[in-house]
Structures are given as structure tokens and as C-alpha cells.
Amino acid sequence: MRKEVRDTMDGAWYDYATAGDMWHAGRYNYVAFLCQQAVEKMLKAAVMSYKRRLYPKGHNLLELIQEAGLSLPENLLTTALRLSPHYLVSRYLNAAGGRYWELYNESIASELLAQTRGLLEWLKGKIESRP
């Protein structure tokens, strides 16, 4: 596996671990943001692995899935679609329509962490199985 693919995957897991730290700190909006970032990085690693070129700029998870040419199981696609808006909504008043930190609670954050882990593991398996 190429170094830039491995490094990008490691960055995804680093963000996921940090999302767990934010859960423990009660900073639930940052759990959502970091889960989105973790999946974004893993998808960018998939693009680099599958297409053998740098990934496109952007944060739309559906576009990255399409760029990589992946066909995700329905539950994992749903996870990606749910995570994508958190890139903005979890951090900006104008995107959230108000106080973004009030849009998240422990239950939402726990669900996002669990779903994100499943998606990351699936993507990791796809990337590592590439010749």
C-alpha cells in the first residue's frame, strides 16, 4: 500500500479516536464533525487506492463514494449520507440555523460513533483488499 494511502487512513482513525475524546468531554457537535472528517479521509484514501491519483477537493461524502466507484451496502450509504452535512452544520451558526452545539446530545453522538466505526471498518477492508 502506498504511503499516502496509509497516512490518509491513519488520519481517519486519528479523527475517529478524537471523536471519542469529544464524546467523553460532552462536546457532541465535534463528535459529529470528526466522524464526518474520519469518513471523508477514509474515502479519500479509497480514491487514491482505487484510482491511483490524488483525491478531489471537497467534503461531500456522496461525491467521494462516486469518485472512488464504490457500491456501499444500503445501511453504510445511509450513514455516509447522514454524516455529510455535519461538516458545516456542526460548526457554523448560519448552517445550523442557530446554536449548533445545541443540536447534538449524547444519544446522537453515540449513534454517530457506532455507525461511523462500521463504515470505517468496511472502507478499510475494501482498501486493504486492493492489489
Side-chain angles (χ1 to χ4, degrees):
M1 179 179 305
R2 294 185 347 243
K3 181 180 183 335
E4 62 268 20
V5 173
R6 172 57 55 202
D7 288 349
T8 304
M9 291 174 68
D10 289 348
W13 288 113
Y14 182 88
D15 285 353
Y16 180 76
T18 305
D21 294 340
M22 292 295 97
W23 184 87
H24 288 291
R27 303 291 187 169
Y28 303 124
N29 63 301
Y30 289 110
V31 172
F33 171 67
L34 288 163
C35 284
Q36 185 281 337
Q37 284 289 280
V39 171
E40 179 182 322
K41 288 175 184 163
M42 194 66 79
L43 285 168
K44 288 180 174 181
V47 170
M48 287 189 291
S49 177
Y50 281 53
K51 303 295 181 173
R52 303 209 188 295
R53 62 175 171 75
L54 285 178
Y55 50 81
K57 294 184 185 206
H59 308 284
N60 183 308
L61 301 182
L62 181 58
E63 289 178 3
L64 290 169
I65 290 166
Q66 293 167 341
E67 182 70 26
L70 292 168
S71 179
L72 277 68
E74 187 67 25
N75 65 315
L76 297 179
L77 177 60
T78 298
T79 295
L81 294 174
R82 284 185 177 151
L83 284 172
S84 206
H86 295 300
Y87 177 76
L88 294 171
V89 173
S90 65
R91 300 178 301 134
Y92 295 104
L93 292 169
N94 59 341
R99 297 162 58 103
Y100 51 85
W101 56 92
E102 293 178 346
L103 297 178
Y104 301 90
N105 62 20
E106 182 178 353
S107 178
I108 292 168
S110 295
E111 183 179 303
L112 290 174
L113 279 169
Q115 292 172 349
T116 297
R117 178 151 194 109
L119 179 51
L120 290 173
E121 291 287 352
W122 188 88
L123 290 167
K124 175 183 178 236
K126 289 292 185 183
I127 294 166
E128 290 180 344
S129 69
R130 294 287 298 168

